[in-house]
Amino acid sequence: GISPNFLIIVPVIIGLVEAIKRIGLDTRYAPIISILLGVSGAYYIVGSEPMMLLQGIIAGLIASGLWSGVKTTFA
């Protein structure tokens, strides 16, 4: 099943992607970076289990969508 620990990486992904964007990353690459960071974080937390890839993608998509939705709501 999905590890509840993977939710820990969502705010970390949001922070890292925002930091990378401030350094100069084109914002259209942010979702890709978010997914890559999600997969990397899931591998670190979960290990190389079969669900790791799916959990990482989910975490990256959650981070990307969550940040986008908050910015749209409060901007």
Side-chain angles (χ1 to χ4, degrees):
I2 293 179
S3 169
N5 293 336
F6 94 100
L7 291 176
I8 295 168
I9 63 176
V10 172
V12 173
I13 295 169
I14 292 171
L16 288 173
V17 170
E18 186 60 27
I20 293 170
K21 287 193 311 190
R22 289 177 190 238
I23 291 172
L25 173 74
D26 191 345
T27 56
R28 62 187 164 163
Y29 298 119
I32 295 168
I33 298 294
S34 182
I35 291 172
L36 291 174
L37 288 171
V39 170
S40 299
Y43 179 78
Y44 178 74
I45 290 174
V46 178
S48 60
E49 296 178 14
M51 288 294 291
M52 178 275 304
L53 182 63
L54 179 61
Q55 290 181 30
I57 291 171
I58 290 170
L61 291 172
I62 288 171
S64 181
L66 180 64
W67 180 247
S68 173
V70 169
K71 274 181 53 177
T72 303
T73 303
F74 292 106

